[in-house]
């Protein structure tokens, strides 16, 4: 079992920044990929960024150059730095993890994740 807890969400104006964190409290199995996902009202959950246990990263086209995924404390915390935020970035953001061996692109698919956090709301106003 893996326990993930997100924090850092909030409200910000367009062009602003936020940094999300995901605390990893329990990992019983080796994790190969971690990811950040988001779900806006009325829309499907979508992948935002992924990072492998080896440090390889992947990003959705909509956030490339604006968002950065990272980890620290020997994978006890996952981060998502979000800059130049836009109103269309408004969503509930989730961190997730999987034991599967994937490519960076595959790791942006919600169906490939095994463990999920509870989510944190990000609201960007124009």
């Amino acid at each position: 079992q893996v326990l993930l807890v997100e924090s850092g969400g909030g409200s910000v104006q367009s062009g602003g920044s936020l940094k999300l964190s995901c605390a990893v409290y329990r990992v019983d199995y080796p994790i190969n990929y971690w990811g950040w996902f988001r779900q806006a009202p009325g829309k499907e959950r979508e992948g935002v960024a992924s990072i492998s246990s080896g440090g390889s990263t992947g990003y959705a086209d909509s956030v490339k150059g604006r968002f950065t995924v990272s980890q620290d404390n020997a994978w006890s915390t996952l981060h998502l730095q979000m800059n130049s935020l836009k109103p269309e970035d408004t969503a509930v953001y989730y961190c997730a993890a999987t034991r599967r061996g994937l490519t960076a692109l595959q790791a942006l698919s919600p169906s490939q994740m095994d463990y999920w956090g509870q989510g944190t709301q990000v609201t960007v106003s124009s």
Side-chain angles (χ1 to χ4, degrees):
Q1 187 65 301
V2 178
L3 181 59
L4 307 171
V5 180
E6 302 95 336
S7 61
S11 297
V12 64
Q13 289 192 327
S14 182
S17 298
L18 281 174
K19 186 174 184 178
L20 304 183
S21 296
C22 175
V24 182
Y25 286 106
R26 178 178 172 180
V27 179
D28 293 335
Y29 304 100
I31 297 297
N32 283 322
Y33 253 103
W34 308 82
W36 283 98
F37 298 79
R38 67 186 181 187
Q39 187 165 18
K43 295 188 177 181
E44 293 186 355
R45 192 170 298 187
E46 62 176 359
V48 174
S50 65
I51 183 167
S52 73
S53 57
S56 299
T57 58
Y59 297 93
D61 289 342
S62 59
V63 306
K64 279 181 182 177
R66 301 189 297 124
F67 290 12
T68 303
V69 60
S70 64
Q71 62 83 24
D72 62 18
N73 298 325
W75 295 99
S76 66
T77 309
L78 193 68
H79 299 289
L80 183 68
Q81 177 67 47
M82 305 186 295
N83 298 327
S84 302
L85 283 162
K86 306 174 182 179
E88 50 264 43
D89 294 318
T90 295
V92 177
Y93 283 71
Y94 301 88
C95 67
T98 181
R99 295 181 284 159
R100 309 177 199 212
L102 304 170
T103 65
L105 182 61
Q106 290 171 332
L108 293 177
S109 172
S111 65
Q112 297 297 325
M113 294 292 128
D114 299 315
Y115 309 104
W116 292 87
Q118 84 289 350
T120 185
Q121 176 70 45
V122 171
T123 302
V124 184
S125 58
S126 57

